[in-house]
Amino acid sequence: PTSLRYVAFTKPRYYNPPAQYPVRSVFPLIYSNNLLSKSRKKLEDFPGRQGFDDDHQAPVMGSTSTENAGRFAFNHYELRLNPQLIQSHKDLRSNSEYAGPRAGYLFPQTGWHKPGANWKEAKNYHINKKGPIKGEWLERHITPRFMLAPRVCPGGPRSRYEGKLAYSIVSLPRILWSIECGKLNPNEPITLRTLVEAGVVHDRNVLWPGLKILAGGLSEIPMPLHIELQRADQPTINAIEKGGGTFTAVYLSPEGMHQELNPDQYPTFVDADMPNKLSMDRVMSQPKQRGYLSQWVSESSQYAHPDSGRRLAHYVKPPVDRDFPTTFAEYEAVKHHQKWHLNQAGSGTVLPWNYLNTLDVRQATSGTI
C-alpha cells in the first residue's frame, strides 16, 4: 500500500558538482604550438570560443550549449539580439526586472504551496484535525463572526461590503480610437458585448455591475454614437449628446452579464432581471444618469409619502418617517396639536400641520430614533 505523501511534488533535484577552483598555473610541457589551457584568474576572463587555425574554425552554435539539456532555452543575449524568439511567457529569462514564473502549485482547496511545503499546516486540509491550527475559522459549527459582523464600509479586497457600485472603467477616447481603427461599428449601438468582441476591453476586466465611461478630457465627439452601458459621468453624457448621439444606462444582473458575454450558451431568450435597490436608486431611475427606467419612475415628491400620517393634506415628503414625537424637543413642538377638547390625547404629530415644511419645523422635528 502506498503511503500518503505530505510534501508538494517537485522535480527531482539533480546533482550539482561542487565549484571547481580555476587553475592558477600549468607546468609548460610544450613551448611551441602550445595546446594547453592557459591559466586565468577567474571564470569571467574566458575569452570565448576561438578557432584553432584557419582550417579549423570555431563551431557555429549557441554561446550556451543548451541543445543537450532537457528544456531548451535561449539566453539573455540571444533574446535581446532577436526578440522574435520570445513566443510566450515561458521563453522569458528571469532578470532584475522580471522575477521569473511563480514557483508553487495552486491547490483549489488549500491555496498556493511552495515546493517542499508541509501540508499539515495548510488551511482546510484537516477539517477534524486535533490541535490549535484549524485555519482562520476556529468557530466551526456556528456562523462565523466575519459573516455576522455588519458591513459598514469596504475594508479591503476580501471584504463582503455590498453598498458600493464599483464599476470597471473604459475611456471615451479609447472607444473613438477603436472606431478609427475599424474595430467598432459606429452605426450600431455600442454595448458591453460589442466592446468585448472588438477587444476594446478584456472580458476578465468586466466585473459586476459593469462598465463606466469616463470622458478623458473630451468635451465633444465628431460623430453620433448610441451607447448602452451601465454608467457614464456627466462630461461623457454631455459630449455624446452634443454630437447627436444617445447614452442609456442599462442594468445587468450578474447572471444577465454572463448571458450578455456568452450568448451561444443561451439559445432561447432569458427574462431580464429588474435592478437591485442600490442600482435602481442611484442610477437606473435617475433621469440625470440617463437610466433606462427613469421615464417610468415619476418624481416621488408629487405624491404623499406612505408614512406621512393622518393630517398631511399637501404633497411634500415629510422630514421623518413617523408621525409621533419620540424626543422631548419634538413633544414640545407638537404639544399644541393635541386635541384635548376632543379627548384625542395621542393626536400630536411631528409632521407639518397648519403650515408647510418650513425651517422651524424641520429643526424642531430633526430628532432620530
Side-chain angles (χ1 to χ4, degrees):
T2 59
S3 60
L4 283 176
R5 184 175 180 186
Y6 284 93
V7 174
F9 296 103
T10 64
K11 296 178 183 176
R13 275 82 180 271
Y14 294 109
Y15 171 71
N16 291 328
Q20 302 290 340
Y21 292 101
V23 178
R24 296 295 181 187
S25 61
V26 170
F27 183 71
L29 297 177
I30 305 171
Y31 290 98
S32 61
N33 196 7
N34 188 1
L35 300 181
L36 290 177
S37 57
K38 304 293 187 296
S39 68
R40 50 186 185 270
K41 290 288 187 290
K42 49 185 185 293
L43 215 55
E44 284 77 12
D45 297 337
F46 179 60
R49 290 198 188 84
Q50 292 166 347
F52 178 65
D53 54 17
D54 294 339
D55 296 331
H56 304 277
Q57 298 288 341
V60 180
M61 56 189 300
S63 57
T64 56
S65 57
T66 56
E67 292 88 353
N68 301 328
R71 177 182 169 275
F72 179 77
F74 294 102
N75 59 7
H76 290 101
Y77 178 71
E78 291 162 340
L79 293 180
R80 181 67 182 269
L81 206 61
N82 187 5
Q84 290 182 342
L85 297 176
I86 305 175
Q87 299 294 331
S88 73
H89 67 278
K90 297 177 182 175
D91 296 333
L92 290 172
R93 306 289 295 245
S94 57
N95 53 25
S96 61
E97 297 181 359
Y98 172 58
R102 173 177 266 153
Y105 305 93
L106 177 62
F107 294 101
Q109 291 296 325
T110 59
W112 284 94
H113 286 266
K114 295 178 185 174
N118 191 359
W119 287 12
K120 283 197 298 183
E121 315 298 338
K123 297 176 193 169
N124 308 345
Y125 185 65
H126 282 294
I127 307 171
N128 301 323
K129 192 172 81 69
K130 301 290 187 290
I133 301 176
K134 298 183 184 65
E136 67 181 25
W137 177 17
L138 295 176
E139 305 157 328
R140 283 183 297 173
H141 294 125
I142 61 173
T143 307
R145 300 291 288 269
F146 70 89
M147 290 178 67
L148 287 173
R151 297 183 289 239
V152 290
C153 70
R158 294 183 52 206
S159 67
R160 297 177 60 251
Y161 178 73
E162 296 171 1
K164 190 162 76 87
L165 297 172
Y167 295 92
S168 304
I169 300 299
V170 58
S171 64
L172 192 57
R174 186 174 174 87
I175 295 178
L176 293 178
W177 176 255
S178 57
I179 290 175
E180 294 288 330
C181 294
K183 293 181 179 181
L184 272 181
N185 183 5
N187 300 317
E188 64 180 17
I190 296 175
T191 62
L192 186 65
R193 180 151 188 271
T194 316
L195 293 179
V196 171
E197 280 186 340
V200 183
V201 292
H202 200 282
D203 58 353
R204 67 167 169 261
N205 296 328
V206 178
L207 303 174
W208 190 87
L211 286 180
K212 178 178 182 179
I213 313 182
L214 296 184
L218 291 183
S219 59
E220 53 183 343
I221 56 178
M223 63 192 82
L225 296 180
H226 302 281
I227 302 180
E228 300 176 3
L229 281 179
Q230 283 67 52
R231 193 77 186 265
D233 58 351
Q234 200 58 44
T236 303
I237 296 176
N238 297 340
I240 291 173
E241 294 178 349
K242 189 177 179 182
T246 58
F247 173 79
T248 309
V250 295
Y251 176 79
L252 286 177
S253 62
E255 294 83 7
M257 185 169 293
H258 189 266
Q259 295 163 17
E260 177 86 5
L261 296 179
N262 307 89
D264 50 340
Q265 301 179 17
Y266 300 90
T268 59
F269 181 76
V270 184
D271 288 341
D273 294 311
M274 282 294 285
N276 60 354
K277 189 174 189 310
L278 195 66
S279 300
M280 187 74 170
D281 294 345
R282 301 255 180 99
V283 187
M284 300 306 160
S285 64
Q286 302 293 329
K288 189 177 180 183
Q289 305 286 348
R290 306 297 187 265
Y292 78 116
L293 294 178
S294 60
Q295 56 177 325
W296 309 112
V297 179
S298 54
E299 189 64 36
S300 62
S301 64
Q302 55 184 302
Y303 300 109
H305 195 67
D307 301 330
S308 56
R310 294 182 288 273
R311 298 300 305 268
L312 188 68
H314 53 82
Y315 295 113
V316 174
K317 185 179 180 300
V320 285
D321 291 341
R322 54 196 158 75
D323 78 337
F324 50 88
T326 54
T327 63
F328 286 110
E330 290 178 6
Y331 181 71
E332 292 293 327
V334 302
K335 261 198 308 191
H336 59 284
H337 293 327
Q338 306 271 3
K339 301 176 189 172
W340 295 104
H341 58 288
L342 295 178
N343 289 329
Q344 297 177 6
S347 57
T349 169
V350 299
L351 299 174
W353 177 64
N354 56 351
Y355 46 88
L356 291 184
N357 208 350
T358 52
L359 187 62
D360 52 348
V361 172
R362 283 178 182 272
Q363 290 173 349
T365 62
S366 62
T368 55
I369 296 179

